[in-house]
Amino acid sequence: DDEKGKRFLKLIDDQNSLQWNIVAKLSSLVNLKWDSSELQQELETLVEKHSKITKELNSLDDSSIL
């Protein structure tokens, strides 16, 4: 189904963006010696979003995408 394929690609794009954001937040936290509760909260939120996207991707029917 064309819509599932589009959704799959959108989820992959969103997941990639979140991964880069997570790496940036982790780098900032390391530079601050893990001393930023604001960055820690932002990172936690990003990881939760990434997890939701990953679960949705895993639940898509692979055979209907290809």
Side-chain angles (χ1 to χ4, degrees):
D1 183 52
D2 193 42
E3 286 303 312
K4 282 189 180 181
K6 288 179 183 178
R7 180 69 183 146
F8 178 81
L9 293 175
K10 170 82 169 92
L11 288 170
I12 293 294
D13 187 49
D14 290 349
Q15 188 182 51
N16 187 51
S17 294
L18 281 169
Q19 287 171 191
W20 281 110
N21 258 327
I22 289 167
V23 169
K25 299 291 180 192
L26 279 171
S27 295
S28 295
L29 272 172
V30 168
N31 288 336
L32 294 172
K33 307 220 184 292
W34 298 91
D35 190 24
S36 172
S37 58
E38 182 180 335
L39 278 174
Q40 289 174 4
Q41 180 60 44
E42 289 175 20
L43 183 58
E44 185 177 319
T45 301
L46 289 170
V47 169
E48 287 172 6
K49 288 179 183 178
H50 188 278
S51 178
K52 286 179 185 177
I53 288 173
T54 301
K55 285 177 185 174
E56 187 174 349
L57 280 168
N58 289 339
S59 72
L60 291 176
D61 182 10
D62 291 342
S63 63
S64 69
I65 294 171
L66 304 173

